[in-house]
Amino acid sequence: MGGKRDVQYVTEWYQYGRTQFLKESTVDKILVGVMSNQPNFNIDRKKMLFASGGTAGYIALMKKDGSPYSLEYIQAWLSHPFTDMIFQTIGSSFEGDFYTHGTAMYKDVPLLPIDFSSFYEHDKYSEIVNNVKEIEKLNVQIISGVVKHKQDFIERKKQAHIRNINNIFDELLEYKMVNNNE
């Protein structure tokens, strides 16, 4: 009734009914759907506003200062089937095969470490990051509304990149187990 929103970039009164769980960040981040039935990790480069709280909405994962790991690598690892099984195991389960990806869980989810002094591991890391960047480019094309036959082709390319990423992680996991690395 003539009130003013206290949320940056919101101009219409009806866009948000409550503001206490709206969050914003001025850095690139990974937005995570807290309640999901599949991996739902998306790199946000547009400084989006997001709703956070409880077992719904979204949380943001930001790169720690000084971390050698890129958001692309972190996103790919969190989306890998092995990591997804961890979320399914330690997260709360809900109807429809949904499970949580809440903030508190990340202390129990390991990040596959990379020995950047190892040519093999560094090369695999770079392959993963490059594949994620290619997927980002393909997603832009899909969102832009390309014609159906091109969209199908782009989606197949995207799925091939995802398979490639998962295969590289599988190779890294096996390499680390065989070489008795972490």
Side-chain angles (χ1 to χ4, degrees):
M1 304 299 293
K4 185 176 182 230
R5 299 281 13 122
D6 57 352
V7 180
Q8 189 176 3
Y9 309 118
V10 175
T11 57
E12 302 297 331
W13 66 269
Y14 54 81
Q15 286 181 292
Y16 296 99
R18 300 178 67 190
T19 62
Q20 57 265 53
F21 293 117
L22 292 176
K23 308 283 184 188
E24 62 183 310
S25 171
T26 58
V27 298
D28 289 353
K29 60 193 167 292
I30 298 174
L31 287 179
V32 181
V34 173
M35 182 78 71
S36 181
N37 60 0
Q38 62 187 349
N40 187 10
F41 303 93
N42 302 285
I43 297 177
D44 168 31
R45 300 192 192 284
K46 295 184 179 183
K47 321 307 186 248
M48 291 179 63
L49 190 67
F50 60 98
S52 179
T55 56
Y58 294 84
I59 61 169
L61 303 176
M62 289 162 245
K63 188 175 151 181
K64 285 185 178 180
D65 288 338
S67 172
Y69 300 101
S70 68
L71 287 177
E72 291 86 0
Y73 179 82
I74 296 167
Q75 176 198 36
W77 175 246
L78 292 173
S79 300
H80 186 269
F82 174 81
T83 313
D84 191 49
M85 281 190 334
I86 295 172
F87 281 107
Q88 290 178 44
T89 302
I90 66 175
S92 299
S93 298
F94 292 87
E95 187 175 331
D97 294 326
F98 283 81
Y99 48 98
T100 57
H101 295 81
T103 308
M105 299 174 71
Y106 291 88
K107 69 181 182 327
D108 297 323
V109 176
L111 180 65
L112 182 64
I114 295 294
D115 177 359
F116 288 96
S117 67
S118 161
F119 175 78
Y120 177 80
E121 290 188 37
H122 190 272
D123 185 54
K124 294 299 178 186
Y125 171 88
S126 295
E127 284 184 54
I128 291 167
V129 169
N130 290 334
N131 273 279
V132 172
K133 288 179 179 179
E134 287 301 314
I135 291 170
E136 280 187 279
K137 290 176 190 175
L138 294 170
N139 282 338
V140 168
Q141 291 178 33
I142 291 169
I143 291 169
S144 72
V146 295
V147 293
K148 179 72 173 139
H149 72 279
K150 285 186 180 178
Q151 190 168 353
D152 291 342
F153 174 74
I154 293 168
E155 187 61 41
R156 284 193 302 275
K157 281 178 69 173
K158 177 180 165 180
Q159 292 306 316
H161 282 293
I162 291 169
R163 282 190 304 277
N164 193 30
I165 290 168
N166 288 337
N167 289 337
I168 295 167
F169 272 124
D170 292 345
E171 290 171 17
L172 269 171
L173 284 165
E174 185 175 340
Y175 174 83
K176 287 184 166 292
M177 288 180 2
V178 167
N179 291 297
N180 227 359
N181 292 334
E182 295 180 38

